[in-house]
PDB file of all heavy atoms in Angstrom:
ATOM      1  N   LEU A 274      28.029  -3.534  23.439  1.00 91.00           N
ATOM      2  CA  LEU A 274      28.691  -4.318  24.491  1.00 91.00           C
ATOM      3  C   LEU A 274      27.747  -5.374  25.052  1.00 91.00           C
ATOM      4  O   LEU A 274      28.148  -6.503  25.345  1.00 91.00           O
ATOM      5  CB  LEU A 274      29.189  -3.388  25.600  1.00 91.00           C
ATOM      6  CG  LEU A 274      30.328  -2.444  25.170  1.00 91.00           C
ATOM      7  CD1 LEU A 274      30.603  -1.411  26.242  1.00 91.00           C
ATOM      8  CD2 LEU A 274      31.583  -3.247  24.882  1.00 91.00           C
ATOM      9  N   THR A 275      26.463  -4.998  25.186  1.00 91.00           N
ATOM     10  CA  THR A 275      25.484  -5.957  25.689  1.00 91.00           C
ATOM     11  C   THR A 275      25.354  -7.134  24.736  1.00 91.00           C
ATOM     12  O   THR A 275      25.305  -8.297  25.150  1.00 91.00           O
ATOM     13  CB  THR A 275      24.103  -5.274  25.838  1.00 91.00           C
ATOM     14  OG1 THR A 275      24.262  -4.053  26.545  1.00 91.00           O
ATOM     15  CG2 THR A 275      23.133  -6.158  26.589  1.00 91.00           C
ATOM     16  N   ARG A 276      25.338  -6.837  23.437  1.00 90.00           N
ATOM     17  CA  ARG A 276      25.220  -7.915  22.455  1.00 90.00           C
ATOM     18  C   ARG A 276      26.449  -8.811  22.455  1.00 90.00           C
ATOM     19  O   ARG A 276      26.349 -10.023  22.285  1.00 90.00           O
ATOM     20  CB  ARG A 276      24.973  -7.344  21.061  1.00 90.00           C
ATOM     21  CG  ARG A 276      23.511  -7.044  20.798  1.00 90.00           C
ATOM     22  CD  ARG A 276      23.269  -6.759  19.344  1.00 90.00           C
ATOM     23  NE  ARG A 276      24.017  -5.580  18.936  1.00 90.00           N
ATOM     24  CZ  ARG A 276      23.629  -4.343  19.153  1.00 90.00           C
ATOM     25  NH1 ARG A 276      22.505  -4.120  19.796  1.00 90.00           N
ATOM     26  NH2 ARG A 276      24.347  -3.327  18.752  1.00 90.00           N
ATOM     27  N   GLU A 277      27.627  -8.197  22.648  1.00 87.00           N
ATOM     28  CA  GLU A 277      28.838  -9.008  22.738  1.00 87.00           C
ATOM     29  C   GLU A 277      28.718 -10.001  23.889  1.00 87.00           C
ATOM     30  O   GLU A 277      29.026 -11.189  23.755  1.00 87.00           O
ATOM     31  CB  GLU A 277      30.048  -8.101  22.996  1.00 87.00           C
ATOM     32  CG  GLU A 277      30.947  -7.952  21.796  1.00 87.00           C
ATOM     33  CD  GLU A 277      31.995  -6.875  22.016  1.00 87.00           C
ATOM     34  OE1 GLU A 277      32.572  -6.824  23.119  1.00 87.00           O
ATOM     35  OE2 GLU A 277      32.218  -6.079  21.082  1.00 87.00           O
ATOM     36  N   CYS A 278      28.249  -9.478  25.012  1.00 89.00           N
ATOM     37  CA  CYS A 278      28.069 -10.320  26.192  1.00 89.00           C
ATOM     38  C   CYS A 278      27.036 -11.415  25.888  1.00 89.00           C
ATOM     39  O   CYS A 278      27.218 -12.575  26.280  1.00 89.00           O
ATOM     40  CB  CYS A 278      27.618  -9.443  27.354  1.00 89.00           C
ATOM     41  SG  CYS A 278      27.792 -10.197  28.946  1.00 89.00           S
ATOM     42  N   ALA A 279      25.974 -11.048  25.169  1.00 90.00           N
ATOM     43  CA  ALA A 279      24.925 -12.023  24.841  1.00 90.00           C
ATOM     44  C   ALA A 279      25.483 -13.153  23.984  1.00 90.00           C
ATOM     45  O   ALA A 279      25.071 -14.312  24.100  1.00 90.00           O
ATOM     46  CB  ALA A 279      23.768 -11.331  24.126  1.00 90.00           C
ATOM     47  N   CYS A 280      26.450 -12.821  23.127  1.00 87.00           N
ATOM     48  CA  CYS A 280      27.067 -13.839  22.275  1.00 87.00           C
ATOM     49  C   CYS A 280      27.834 -14.850  23.115  1.00 87.00           C
ATOM     50  O   CYS A 280      27.759 -16.060  22.873  1.00 87.00           O
ATOM     51  CB  CYS A 280      28.017 -13.172  21.291  1.00 87.00           C
ATOM     52  SG  CYS A 280      27.406 -13.238  19.624  1.00 87.00           S
ATOM     53  N   LYS A 281      28.577 -14.362  24.091  1.00 86.00           N
ATOM     54  CA  LYS A 281      29.299 -15.279  24.977  1.00 86.00           C
ATOM     55  C   LYS A 281      28.296 -16.155  25.722  1.00 86.00           C
ATOM     56  O   LYS A 281      28.527 -17.342  25.963  1.00 86.00           O
ATOM     57  CB  LYS A 281      30.127 -14.511  26.009  1.00 86.00           C
ATOM     58  CG  LYS A 281      30.942 -13.382  25.465  1.00 86.00           C
ATOM     59  CD  LYS A 281      32.248 -13.830  24.887  1.00 86.00           C
ATOM     60  CE  LYS A 281      33.063 -12.615  24.477  1.00 86.00           C
ATOM     61  NZ  LYS A 281      33.589 -12.690  23.134  1.00 86.00           N
ATOM     62  N   ILE A 282      27.190 -15.537  26.115  1.00 88.00           N
ATOM     63  CA  ILE A 282      26.171 -16.286  26.849  1.00 88.00           C
ATOM     64  C   ILE A 282      25.588 -17.374  25.967  1.00 88.00           C
ATOM     65  O   ILE A 282      25.274 -18.472  26.441  1.00 88.00           O
ATOM     66  CB  ILE A 282      25.088 -15.311  27.370  1.00 88.00           C
ATOM     67  CG1 ILE A 282      25.640 -14.594  28.599  1.00 88.00           C
ATOM     68  CG2 ILE A 282      23.799 -16.040  27.702  1.00 88.00           C
ATOM     69  CD1 ILE A 282      24.687 -13.653  29.251  1.00 88.00           C
ATOM     70  N   ASP A 283      25.493 -17.083  24.667  1.00 86.00           N
ATOM     71  CA  ASP A 283      25.001 -18.119  23.746  1.00 86.00           C
ATOM     72  C   ASP A 283      25.943 -19.315  23.745  1.00 86.00           C
ATOM     73  O   ASP A 283      25.504 -20.466  23.744  1.00 86.00           O
ATOM     74  CB  ASP A 283      24.877 -17.532  22.340  1.00 86.00           C
ATOM     75  CG  ASP A 283      24.241 -18.510  21.375  1.00 86.00           C
ATOM     76  OD1 ASP A 283      23.125 -18.968  21.670  1.00 86.00           O
ATOM     77  OD2 ASP A 283      24.870 -18.831  20.358  1.00 86.00           O
ATOM     78  N   ALA A 284      27.253 -19.031  23.749  1.00 84.00           N
ATOM     79  CA  ALA A 284      28.224 -20.127  23.783  1.00 84.00           C
ATOM     80  C   ALA A 284      28.077 -20.909  25.090  1.00 84.00           C
ATOM     81  O   ALA A 284      28.144 -22.144  25.115  1.00 84.00           O
ATOM     82  CB  ALA A 284      29.638 -19.577  23.631  1.00 84.00           C
ATOM     83  N   LEU A 285      27.852 -20.174  26.180  1.00 85.00           N
ATOM     84  CA  LEU A 285      27.662 -20.808  27.485  1.00 85.00           C
ATOM     85  C   LEU A 285      26.427 -21.693  27.463  1.00 85.00           C
ATOM     86  O   LEU A 285      26.408 -22.796  28.029  1.00 85.00           O
ATOM     87  CB  LEU A 285      27.501 -19.703  28.534  1.00 85.00           C
ATOM     88  CG  LEU A 285      27.862 -20.002  29.976  1.00 85.00           C
ATOM     89  CD1 LEU A 285      29.291 -20.472  30.059  1.00 85.00           C
ATOM     90  CD2 LEU A 285      27.684 -18.755  30.814  1.00 85.00           C
ATOM     91  N   ASN A 286      25.405 -21.204  26.791  1.00 84.00           N
ATOM     92  CA  ASN A 286      24.172 -21.976  26.659  1.00 84.00           C
ATOM     93  C   ASN A 286      24.433 -23.263  25.890  1.00 84.00           C
ATOM     94  O   ASN A 286      23.835 -24.297  26.180  1.00 84.00           O
ATOM     95  CB  ASN A 286      23.118 -21.123  25.943  1.00 84.00           C
ATOM     96  CG  ASN A 286      21.735 -21.708  26.044  1.00 84.00           C
ATOM     97  OD1 ASN A 286      21.320 -22.117  27.119  1.00 84.00           O
ATOM     98  ND2 ASN A 286      21.035 -21.765  24.936  1.00 84.00           N
ATOM     99  N   GLY A 287      25.361 -23.173  24.902  1.00 81.00           N
ATOM    100  CA  GLY A 287      25.760 -24.370  24.175  1.00 81.00           C
ATOM    101  C   GLY A 287      26.336 -25.415  25.119  1.00 81.00           C
ATOM    102  O   GLY A 287      26.079 -26.612  24.977  1.00 81.00           O
ATOM    103  N   CYS A 288      27.125 -24.971  26.113  1.00 80.00           N
ATOM    104  CA  CYS A 288      27.690 -25.900  27.101  1.00 80.00           C
ATOM    105  C   CYS A 288      26.584 -26.534  27.932  1.00 80.00           C
ATOM    106  O   CYS A 288      26.648 -27.700  28.312  1.00 80.00           O
ATOM    107  CB  CYS A 288      28.629 -25.168  28.053  1.00 80.00           C
ATOM    108  SG  CYS A 288      30.051 -24.480  27.244  1.00 80.00           S
ATOM    109  N   LEU A 289      25.562 -25.721  28.222  1.00 80.00           N
ATOM    110  CA  LEU A 289      24.439 -26.182  29.044  1.00 80.00           C
ATOM    111  C   LEU A 289      23.702 -27.307  28.336  1.00 80.00           C
ATOM    112  O   LEU A 289      23.267 -28.288  28.955  1.00 80.00           O
ATOM    113  CB  LEU A 289      23.497 -24.991  29.244  1.00 80.00           C
ATOM    114  CG  LEU A 289      22.715 -24.867  30.528  1.00 80.00           C
ATOM    115  CD1 LEU A 289      23.655 -24.957  31.708  1.00 80.00           C
ATOM    116  CD2 LEU A 289      21.989 -23.538  30.553  1.00 80.00           C
ATOM    117  N   ASN A 290      23.554 -27.149  26.991  1.00 76.00           N
ATOM    118  CA  ASN A 290      22.789 -28.133  26.234  1.00 76.00           C
ATOM    119  C   ASN A 290      23.627 -29.324  25.799  1.00 76.00           C
ATOM    120  O   ASN A 290      23.100 -30.317  25.318  1.00 76.00           O
ATOM    121  CB  ASN A 290      22.185 -27.482  24.987  1.00 76.00           C
ATOM    122  CG  ASN A 290      21.196 -26.406  25.348  1.00 76.00           C
ATOM    123  OD1 ASN A 290      20.591 -26.469  26.416  1.00 76.00           O
ATOM    124  ND2 ASN A 290      21.028 -25.422  24.488  1.00 76.00           N
ATOM    125  N   SER A 291      24.946 -29.195  25.940  1.00 73.00           N
ATOM    126  CA  SER A 291      25.826 -30.274  25.490  1.00 73.00           C
ATOM    127  C   SER A 291      25.655 -31.500  26.384  1.00 73.00           C
ATOM    128  O   SER A 291      25.336 -31.393  27.573  1.00 73.00           O
ATOM    129  CB  SER A 291      27.272 -29.775  25.537  1.00 73.00           C
ATOM    130  OG  SER A 291      28.157 -30.854  25.648  1.00 73.00           O
ATOM    131  N   ASP A 292      25.855 -32.697  25.792  1.00 69.00           N
ATOM    132  CA  ASP A 292      25.743 -33.904  26.621  1.00 69.00           C
ATOM    133  C   ASP A 292      27.078 -34.260  27.279  1.00 69.00           C
ATOM    134  O   ASP A 292      27.142 -35.147  28.118  1.00 69.00           O
ATOM    135  CB  ASP A 292      25.205 -35.085  25.800  1.00 69.00           C
ATOM    136  CG  ASP A 292      25.808 -35.118  24.417  1.00 69.00           C
ATOM    137  OD1 ASP A 292      26.532 -34.161  24.086  1.00 69.00           O
ATOM    138  OD2 ASP A 292      25.570 -36.074  23.665  1.00 69.00           O
ATOM    139  N   MET A 293      28.138 -33.536  26.850  1.00 68.00           N
ATOM    140  CA  MET A 293      29.432 -33.730  27.511  1.00 68.00           C
ATOM    141  C   MET A 293      29.470 -32.861  28.747  1.00 68.00           C
ATOM    142  O   MET A 293      29.598 -31.645  28.655  1.00 68.00           O
ATOM    143  CB  MET A 293      30.544 -33.258  26.564  1.00 68.00           C
ATOM    144  CG  MET A 293      31.358 -34.350  25.925  1.00 68.00           C
ATOM    145  SD  MET A 293      32.513 -33.617  24.748  1.00 68.00           S
ATOM    146  CE  MET A 293      33.719 -32.894  25.856  1.00 68.00           C
ATOM    147  N   LYS A 294      29.312 -33.459  29.907  1.00 67.00           N
ATOM    148  CA  LYS A 294      29.292 -32.616  31.104  1.00 67.00           C
ATOM    149  C   LYS A 294      30.547 -32.813  31.967  1.00 67.00           C
ATOM    150  O   LYS A 294      30.726 -32.154  32.965  1.00 67.00           O
ATOM    151  CB  LYS A 294      28.037 -32.911  31.934  1.00 67.00           C
ATOM    152  CG  LYS A 294      26.742 -32.508  31.252  1.00 67.00           C
ATOM    153  CD  LYS A 294      26.114 -31.290  31.897  1.00 67.00           C
ATOM    154  CE  LYS A 294      25.095 -30.681  30.958  1.00 67.00           C
ATOM    155  NZ  LYS A 294      23.876 -30.219  31.577  1.00 67.00           N
ATOM    156  N   GLY A 295      31.394 -33.755  31.607  1.00 69.00           N
ATOM    157  CA  GLY A 295      32.612 -33.969  32.390  1.00 69.00           C
ATOM    158  C   GLY A 295      32.325 -34.711  33.684  1.00 69.00           C
ATOM    159  O   GLY A 295      31.173 -35.015  34.005  1.00 69.00           O
ATOM    160  N   SER A 296      33.378 -34.985  34.421  1.00 71.00           N
ATOM    161  CA  SER A 296      33.179 -35.764  35.651  1.00 71.00           C
ATOM    162  C   SER A 296      32.608 -34.877  36.747  1.00 71.00           C
ATOM    163  O   SER A 296      32.870 -33.670  36.803  1.00 71.00           O
ATOM    164  CB  SER A 296      34.508 -36.357  36.106  1.00 71.00           C
ATOM    165  OG  SER A 296      35.289 -35.326  36.662  1.00 71.00           O
ATOM    166  N   LEU A 297      31.804 -35.504  37.600  1.00 75.00           N
ATOM    167  CA  LEU A 297      31.148 -34.777  38.689  1.00 75.00           C
ATOM    168  C   LEU A 297      32.164 -34.168  39.642  1.00 75.00           C
ATOM    169  O   LEU A 297      32.022 -33.028  40.078  1.00 75.00           O
ATOM    170  CB  LEU A 297      30.251 -35.745  39.467  1.00 75.00           C
ATOM    171  CG  LEU A 297      28.748 -35.515  39.313  1.00 75.00           C
ATOM    172  CD1 LEU A 297      27.998 -36.555  40.087  1.00 75.00           C
ATOM    173  CD2 LEU A 297      28.383 -34.115  39.742  1.00 75.00           C
TER     174      LEU A 297
END
Side-chain angles (χ1 to χ4, degrees):
Chain A
L274 293 171
T275 311
R276 276 192 298 279
E277 253 171 43
C278 196
C280 250
K281 313 277 185 230
I282 282 182
D283 186 56
L285 205 57
N286 193 46
C288 297
L289 212 53
N290 296 333
S291 156
D292 41 354
M293 253 175 74
K294 293 252 163 139
S296 74
L297 249 178

